[in-house]
Amino acid sequence: MESVLPAASFLYWVGAGTVAYVVLRVSYSLFTALRVWGVGNEAGVGPGLGEWAVVTGSTDGIGKSYAEELAKRGMKVVLISRSQDKLNQVSSEIKEKFKVETRTIAADFASEDIYDKIKTGLAGLEIGVLVNNVGMAYEYPEYFLDVPDLDNIIKKLININVLSVCKMTRLVLPGMVERSKGVILNISSASGMFPVPLLTVYSAAKAFVDFFSQCLHEEYRSKGIFVQCVLPYFVATKMAKIRKPTFDKPSSETFVKYAIKTVGLQSRTNGYPIHSLMGSIFSILPSWIYLKIVVGVHKSIRARFLKKTKKN
């Protein structure tokens, strides 16, 4: 009987400690959620960082919405994208709506010989914010060896999703370090948080952006530079092929409205409350369950796409 009492006492304190730990974790998570999504950091991004913001892939979707939000906050904006016609249109819209100066640089990030041109276009500008948004995804989920025009797709995905982030950062970061202030926002994807079979190269490229951002943030935060990786789930954009926004698939305007408030609070964010909840749920799932769900979803999307294209 005497030996049973110490054992029972031990189990009691183990149980009490476990409950206390869970309560503390839940309380901390709720406090963090309230701080980030309820309060936010409205003053985190603006002209105080520097006169100019640079946004790649700025004529559609998330990139365009970041450009508009930064202009709304009083920043002059350099728009960089492939089509000069689209750049002119977005530039005119921003000038008219927000009364700020804009510049445009037409550049195809699928190429590697564009960065001297971009460097010349940015020369002399006090750049406070860089948004590395330009991106390319698969046309549809597919097994690696069955991706149409695979060699070309590999090159384009790496140039657009990986090389652009490194090269643009290389161009802009020295000026930020010299002034001891600046923000770099690297738009990755939830596909970079965990492996996504049937989107293999895209998932791996976005994982690179995540790791690159985390490393860069640790290297330069003591120098006044805040680097954030944004990892959204589905957003209603042309690239995602989602036309109508829903509760869990917000418009790019809604997404950016929430995401920009996390700057200065989270160096790694899903950018939107529902996406943050989704990320938390997936992170606690056993990997085999997660992979089973993801593969099943993408096999279904693949089958629908192939059936539709055969009919056409």
Side-chain angles (χ1 to χ4, degrees):
M1 187 66 179
E2 291 180 0
S3 63
V4 173
L5 290 175
S9 177
F10 173 75
L11 290 175
Y12 168 81
W13 286 111
V14 168
T18 301
V19 170
Y21 173 77
V22 170
V23 169
L24 286 172
R25 284 294 301 268
V26 171
S27 299
Y28 177 76
S29 297
L30 291 173
F31 171 77
T32 301
L34 176 63
R35 176 169 165 260
V36 172
W37 305 118
V39 179
N41 185 24
E42 285 285 0
V45 179
L49 294 168
E51 280 188 317
W52 288 88
V54 177
V55 185
T56 67
S58 51
T59 54
D60 288 300
I62 291 175
K64 182 181 178 182
S65 293
Y66 264 108
E68 291 175 338
E69 180 64 33
L70 291 164
K72 180 181 178 181
R73 290 165 178 249
M75 299 192 75
K76 302 173 183 178
V77 184
V78 180
L79 306 166
I80 308 179
S81 201
R82 182 174 55 180
S83 168
Q84 187 63 57
D85 288 342
K86 285 186 176 182
L87 284 167
N88 292 340
Q89 180 183 340
V90 174
S91 175
S92 296
E93 290 173 3
I94 289 177
K95 284 179 182 178
E96 182 177 345
K97 188 173 181 179
F98 302 107
K99 313 301 180 187
V100 298
E101 185 180 347
T102 65
R103 294 190 184 185
T104 65
I105 302 173
D108 183 356
F109 284 96
S111 302
E112 300 177 29
D113 59 354
I114 59 173
Y115 294 99
D116 286 341
K117 177 183 178 181
I118 294 174
K119 182 178 181 180
T120 300
L122 300 181
L125 301 184
E126 184 186 72
I127 299 169
V129 178
L130 168 63
V131 183
N132 280 314
N133 166 76
V134 67
M136 172 188 172
Y138 280 31
E139 185 178 11
Y140 67 96
E142 185 56 280
Y143 293 90
F144 178 68
L145 291 178
D146 295 330
V147 173
D149 195 15
L150 178 58
D151 289 337
N152 187 43
I153 291 297
I154 290 172
K155 182 178 179 180
K156 289 177 71 174
L157 273 167
I158 292 175
N159 282 350
I160 294 171
N161 295 343
V162 175
L163 184 66
S164 70
V165 175
C166 298
K167 287 284 195 175
M168 289 303 301
T169 300
R170 172 68 182 90
L171 292 179
V172 172
L173 184 58
M176 293 181 172
V177 171
E178 186 178 341
R179 291 180 292 108
S180 298
K181 57 183 176 180
V183 166
I184 297 175
L185 307 178
N186 293 327
I187 313 305
S188 178
S189 165
S191 298
M193 296 174 65
F194 315 102
V196 182
L198 278 75
L199 294 179
T200 299
V201 182
Y202 177 76
S203 176
K206 290 302 186 180
F208 171 89
V209 176
D210 186 15
F211 273 52
F212 178 79
S213 302
Q214 292 182 63
C215 293
L216 203 68
H217 181 68
E218 289 302 318
E219 288 180 8
Y220 287 96
R221 62 177 180 171
S222 63
K223 301 181 186 296
I225 315 302
F226 187 87
V227 181
Q228 182 185 68
C229 186
V230 184
L231 302 123
Y233 283 84
F234 286 117
V235 176
T237 63
K238 288 181 181 179
M239 190 172 88
K241 299 177 182 176
I242 300 172
R243 296 180 182 179
K244 188 176 180 180
T246 61
F247 185 59
D248 63 323
K249 301 176 184 67
S251 67
S252 59
E253 294 85 359
T254 298
F255 177 82
V256 170
K257 179 182 176 182
Y258 279 97
I260 204 161
K261 293 180 182 179
T262 68
V263 176
L265 298 177
Q266 292 183 312
S267 61
R268 189 172 184 260
T269 181
N270 293 115
Y272 181 65
I274 303 304
H275 290 185
S276 180
L277 179 61
M278 292 166 65
S280 297
I281 292 170
F282 277 116
S283 69
I284 62 176
L285 287 177
S287 60
W288 68 270
I289 294 179
Y290 160 78
L291 288 170
K292 187 176 181 64
I293 293 170
V294 170
V295 171
V297 168
H298 285 98
K299 280 185 176 180
S300 176
I301 295 172
R302 174 181 180 272
R304 289 199 302 271
F305 178 88
L306 293 177
K307 183 178 179 180
K308 181 179 178 181
T309 53
K310 282 180 181 178
K311 283 184 178 180
N312 293 336

